[in-house]
Amino acid sequence: SHVLGTAGSSLYRYTSFSGSSGTLLGSPAIPDPAGATADRLLAYTILGGHALLAVQSIGDSHVSLYDATDPANPIYLASGRNVTGTIASNGNGTGELAWGDVTANPDGSFSETLYAMSSNQGIQAFVVVVPEPSGLALAGLAALALCWRRRS
């Protein structure tokens, strides 16, 4: 009943739908501390009970992770980039982000692989880990930033 999408800027649209009627709920800026570098590709998941939004730049291929508990006000958690050297231009502005299967780890944490492809710039994979629930007590979701791991 809700859709997140971009149209080539570092803003995204957060919309709800009921039947054939849609309502724009917000157009938040993507709060990338590295600055807006064509942040465009989006993927949303619920991991360990936490709403996460991954956003990839079609400019330099970096991937950022946000707490999307309130999709109209995303909170930056972490970012990473597995590509090295000079990358080709993504003139088409195309690509895809996809979340893999969720794994419940023996220590009570949850992990999920995030696959990121920006056309002409390669494919990346990241393992995103949400600590076990008691580890989030007062620290909130900021703890997720410490658990963003790269996979080569």
Side-chain angles (χ1 to χ4, degrees):
S1 66
H2 290 81
V3 176
L4 299 174
T6 63
S9 70
S10 290
L11 298 174
Y12 69 85
R13 306 290 189 236
Y14 171 46
T15 307
S16 70
F17 287 88
S18 178
S20 61
S21 298
T23 303
L24 179 63
L25 301 174
S27 297
I30 298 169
D32 190 334
T37 57
D39 293 342
R40 182 161 178 192
L41 308 172
L42 305 175
Y44 177 89
T45 193
I46 302 289
L47 179 58
H50 301 285
L52 300 176
L53 176 65
V55 180
Q56 184 174 15
S57 165
I58 59 170
D60 67 4
S61 253
H62 80 275
V63 178
S64 297
L65 189 64
Y66 299 89
D67 172 354
T69 302
D70 177 0
N73 295 296
I75 298 169
Y76 173 81
L77 298 172
S79 64
R81 182 175 161 216
N82 289 335
V83 294
T84 59
T86 303
I87 57 175
S89 171
N90 182 353
N92 297 324
T94 58
E96 182 69 38
L97 288 172
W99 290 97
D101 293 331
V102 174
T103 301
N105 302 312
D107 64 359
S109 66
F110 292 88
S111 59
E112 189 170 358
T113 303
L114 173 66
Y115 300 95
M117 184 209 48
S118 181
S119 300
N120 303 328
Q121 298 177 346
I123 299 172
Q124 305 174 74
F126 301 89
V127 175
V128 179
V129 178
V130 172
E132 53 90 17
S134 67
L136 292 175
L138 295 176
L141 289 175
L144 287 171
L146 301 175
C147 298
W148 176 260
R149 298 185 306 188
R150 297 187 328 172
R151 179 188 232 178
S152 37

